[in-house]
Amino acid sequence: MTDLTIGIVGGGQLARMMNEAATPLGLGVRLLAEAAGTSAAQVVPDAEVGDYTDPATLTAFARGVDALTFDHEHVPTDLLRALADAGVAVRPGPDALLYAQDKAAMRERLTDLGIPAPAWRVTRTPEEFIAFGEEIGWPLIAKTSRGGYDGKGVWKVDGREQAAEPFAALGQALGPTERVADAAASGGVAEAPEVVIVAEEFIPFTRELSVLVVRRPGGESVVYPVSESVQREGICHETTTPAPGLDAERAADIASFATRIADELGVVGVLAVELMERPGGEVVVNELAMRPHNTGHWTIEGAITSQFENHLRAVADLPLGSTALTAPVVVMSNVLGGDNPDLVGSLPTVLANPDARVHLYGKSVKPGRKVGHVTVCGTDVATMQEAARAASDHLEGRTHG
């Protein structure tokens, strides 16, 4: 028996890895999964299947936990406000989570805080989008304000002739249904939040960076070293930590404003701040996430305390652990579904490198789907990157033997 139970909404690999981190701490985990057999439902004994947008389902699930957290950011904030008002420890809370759910709200709030960002504008029609493009120049990036993830709901628009495309595709670009419920008032479902197109300056960035902050309810926080990330078709493919060539002063500046974001938004748990580096070294915020994040998977082997453990510590309001590196260089490479359906059968070759640490998520292999990751820790950036890539390439079926 455990004295403290954490409820996790969402049954993906993040919840799976949170469960692994909970065991040494003696924390209980209950899971609300979208379907039977999801990545986390395979390993969490206390798992149920239900619709997280249904007020009755979510309320009943929350009654059995001491704190509620998330594998994703799609739970309607009105439902979470009702739970918080009823005394449930929702972490992160709905007022913070809004800024991970809604890119328009995020851009407005960060601009008010003076956090560096691309030039941006909310647009509701192709004509408004074109006007912004004519004002600052083409190309532009178009993003749905809600629902986009892993490159979905994002377009590069080269000129006015393409401006209608994001608006035409708006309904199809969204992820999980964004229903806003008002169970206390009527027991029904209210109108969905407005979804708009956020037009952003196209930045020919030199590289992408990511920094993770973990914050407790009382404000204590820790920051992980800044990572360099490589994206392929909007999906994180590789991270190298610490980011090569990033001097200590700039790393400290990034950590400082990321911590300020966490404080100003009142985040509890992990805040991932994804950044783009302009030529010359200036960085701007690209995205926020308020949960353990793909660019932090390296922390399982590469940091004294993983992002998953520190997230749970924060949610449970326990002292946070050290974020120091366990090796001078840590490289993580995602494994995406490819031509190899037998991931386990490929392990003998991959694990022939004793430094390779493999995490498989229990998912069926589909093209482009995240099915696992590999982490390698060592002393040389190029050597570690080569080793991590070789392992993930083999698991994806790109190499044989």
Side-chain angles (χ1 to χ4, degrees):
M1 295 292 291
T2 181
D3 294 326
L4 193 62
T5 299
I6 307 299
I8 304 175
V9 179
Q13 66 264 21
L14 300 180
R16 183 185 180 106
M17 288 182 273
M18 276 190 256
N19 180 68
E20 293 172 7
T23 301
L25 295 175
L27 299 175
V29 171
R30 290 192 66 206
L31 182 72
L32 180 62
E34 301 87 343
T38 60
S39 181
Q42 296 171 27
V43 298
V44 179
D46 191 358
E48 63 183 83
V49 174
D51 179 2
Y52 60 80
T53 69
D54 176 66
T57 298
L58 192 62
T59 300
F61 177 74
R63 287 196 194 104
V65 303
D66 296 291
L68 191 70
T69 194
F70 312 98
D71 171 87
H72 58 72
E73 292 132 333
H74 302 299
V75 181
T77 50
D78 277 19
L79 289 183
L80 298 179
R81 286 194 181 94
L83 292 178
D85 290 345
V88 177
V90 179
R91 294 171 176 167
D95 291 337
L97 200 59
L98 169 67
Y99 300 105
Q101 292 180 334
D102 191 314
K103 295 179 179 64
M106 180 267 289
R107 283 285 179 234
E108 182 175 3
R109 185 78 169 97
L110 294 190
T111 298
D112 288 345
L113 294 175
I115 302 297
W120 65 278
R121 183 172 297 168
V122 168
T123 62
R124 293 176 173 83
T125 65
E127 290 74 22
E128 291 179 352
F129 191 92
I130 290 169
F132 185 61
E134 297 297 325
E135 179 181 324
I136 73 163
W138 304 95
L140 295 179
I141 297 297
K143 298 179 179 179
T144 58
S145 59
R146 284 178 172 262
Y149 63 99
D150 282 351
K152 298 177 176 65
V154 179
W155 299 262
K156 181 184 176 186
V157 180
D158 292 316
R160 58 186 301 138
E161 65 281 356
Q162 298 175 359
E165 180 183 349
F167 296 89
L170 195 58
Q172 292 74 36
L174 299 181
T177 303
E178 295 286 353
R179 290 194 292 168
V180 178
D182 187 359
S186 64
V189 177
E191 291 184 4
E194 181 185 23
V195 181
V196 298
I197 293 294
V198 179
E200 294 184 355
E201 165 195 6
F202 174 76
I203 295 179
F205 55 83
T206 55
R207 60 177 173 172
E208 294 179 271
L209 302 171
S210 174
V211 62
L212 305 182
V213 181
V214 191
R215 184 177 181 274
R216 286 177 71 182
E220 177 197 352
S221 63
V222 293
V223 187
Y224 287 91
V226 179
S227 299
E228 178 179 322
S229 62
V230 177
Q231 311 287 322
R232 288 185 182 174
E233 298 180 354
I235 299 174
C236 178
H237 179 72
E238 179 181 282
T239 63
T240 301
T241 310
L246 188 69
D247 63 62
E249 183 178 356
R250 285 202 299 148
D253 286 344
I254 291 171
S256 178
F257 77 66
T259 301
R260 181 170 172 241
I261 293 171
D263 287 338
E264 293 284 355
L265 302 188
V267 176
V268 174
V270 170
L271 169 70
V273 182
E274 297 182 76
L275 305 155
M276 294 181 289
E277 185 179 66
R278 295 181 188 267
E282 179 193 2
V283 297
V284 296
V285 173
N286 186 27
E287 303 278 359
L288 299 180
M290 295 181 194
R291 50 172 170 73
H293 194 254
N294 199 169
T295 60
H297 289 354
W298 63 269
T299 62
I300 298 174
E301 287 83 26
I304 298 295
T305 314
S306 77
Q307 65 162 342
F308 299 99
E309 180 175 335
N310 262 337
H311 181 76
L312 292 176
R313 289 192 190 200
V315 169
D317 201 11
L318 298 171
L320 301 177
S322 170
T323 59
L325 292 165
T326 60
V329 177
V330 185
V331 178
M332 184 281 300
S333 185
N334 267 334
V335 178
L336 304 181
D339 295 329
N340 177 24
D342 184 12
L343 299 175
V344 174
S346 298
L347 288 178
T349 298
V350 173
L351 297 180
N353 177 356
D355 296 324
R357 300 297 299 274
V358 178
H359 296 260
L360 299 179
Y361 303 153
K363 294 180 173 182
S364 59
V365 175
K366 297 179 181 179
R369 187 184 201 185
K370 295 176 188 174
V371 293
H373 72 267
V374 180
T375 304
V376 183
C377 304
T379 58
D380 178 71
V381 170
T383 302
M384 295 305 100
Q385 288 177 337
E386 182 180 358
R389 291 167 188 168
S392 61
D393 282 350
H394 187 75
L395 288 165
E396 291 176 0
R398 298 175 186 269
T399 59
H400 302 280

